[in-house]
Structure formats: C-alpha cells, structure tokens
Amino acid sequence: PYGSYQMLGHLELDFRYPDKLGSAEYTQYKRSLRLDDATAVTRFTRGGIDFTREAFISAPDNVFVQRYSATEEGVISFDARLSRPERAQIRVLSESELELFGELSNGRASGRGTQFAVRLKVVANGGTVSSDGDAIQVRGADSVLLFVTAATDIRTFAGRNVADPRLAAAEDLEQARGKSFHTLRRAHME
C-alpha cells in the first residue's frame, strides 16, 4: 500500500536458552530507560543466570547498538532476522550479516518511491555465528553485539541527503563495527 510513515522493517530475535535451564522461571525482570545516557536496559534472571540487554541509537555513528551479556559463559543463543511485509528483499551477505532493501510505491503510475536499506551485523564473543536461510544463528556465545544501520533516499529539510541508501547503510555499518560498545556509547552521549 501507498502511504506516509511506513515502517522500515522488523528485527526479529528468537532466543534459545540452554537445555539445562529447562522450564526455569524468569525472575527479577526489570526494564528501564536511563535518561542520563539514553540507554534502554532489560535485566532478568533465569536458572540462577543473570541476563542483561542494553540498547541505544547513536546519532553520531548512525547505528542502533544492542549488547547481550550474561553472568555465565556460553548461554546466549538466538536466531536474528530482518523482515518487512512488502516491497523488500533480504540478502545474506555473510555468516554474520544481513541486508534488507527495497523501494516503496509513490502512489503514481511509475510506482517509484522511497528507496530504503537496512544492515544487520552480529558480533559474538565466544560461541558460533552462522547463517541459515534468511537468519543469522548465534549459539553458545558469552556476549553479543548487534549493529543495525539504515538509510533512505528521502530528501527533506532535516536529516541527511543520501543518494544510495544501500551504500550509506553499508558505510555506516563498516564505521560502527570497528568501534567498541563503550566507544559508541560515549560518542552517543556527547
């Protein structure tokens, strides 16, 4: 369908916990938004293991960053996918990187509208990272960083003007993934 304010896409994460946790309940669940550093944090305990998820969007680096960690090694496993219900293609670029891209309809006969692109990069400490179909699989990691970059070719009075969204998303990702979580967060807070 044609219309303003379309969603860019979905980042789908399907978490898998070690068999040893069985049906252990989630306890001490807490979500917060730390206003001093604009970071969303989720913490919970399952089977005696504390899990932490921290996320922020860095304007200086044009990247969404999410870090997953736990108090025990080798317990972080999930499948990550990018999706959009229409007018998008998904490519697996490597064992640890996906791209979603496409072009919306402009509501006219030409059908040519806004072009968009999203890149997802998974960087795991420990464990394995592989691709399977349209998903990136993380198994048995100690900690994981997700990097998501996105761009469109919308030309407005605000924001940046991008001629090639796929190239812009790729360049933003390349620059961001070479930096540590702490370096990205520090730049995000300045």
Side-chain angles (χ1 to χ4, degrees), residues 39-53:
T39 301
V41 180
T42 303
R43 297 179 194 279
F44 60 91
T45 300
R46 186 162 184 221
I49 303 169
D50 298 328
F51 293 87
T52 303
R53 301 173 183 173

Side-chain angles (χ1 to χ4, degrees), residues 82-172:
L82 294 173
S83 67
R84 181 176 157 72
E86 61 169 347
R87 301 185 71 95
Q89 298 177 47
I90 298 167
R91 286 185 30 205
V92 176
L93 301 174
S94 72
E95 294 293 304
S96 62
E97 192 171 337
L98 299 176
E99 177 188 41
L100 177 142
F101 63 95
E103 183 174 17
L104 299 176
S105 173
N106 64 0
R108 299 189 179 119
S110 72
R112 298 200 47 97
T114 301
Q115 294 179 20
F116 58 89
V118 180
R119 288 278 184 116
L120 166 65
K121 175 73 176 174
V122 176
V123 178
N125 178 23
T128 62
V129 178
S130 61
S131 62
D132 182 27
D134 65 348
I136 295 175
Q137 296 182 328
V138 175
R139 297 292 184 266
D142 303 336
S143 64
V144 177
L145 284 178
L146 290 185
F147 298 94
V148 180
T149 59
T152 71
D153 66 352
I154 294 175
R155 299 192 184 277
T156 65
F157 66 92
R160 62 186 192 164
N161 291 318
V162 171
D164 182 345
R166 292 178 73 187
L167 179 61
E171 288 174 345
D172 291 343

Side-chain angles (χ1 to χ4, degrees), residues 37-40 55-66 148 184 188-189:
D37 64 0
T39 301
F56 60 88
I57 297 174
S58 173
D61 290 295
N62 293 306
V63 64
F64 167 75
V65 181
Q66 191 160 37
V148 180
L184 289 164
H188 151 71
M189 292 174 16

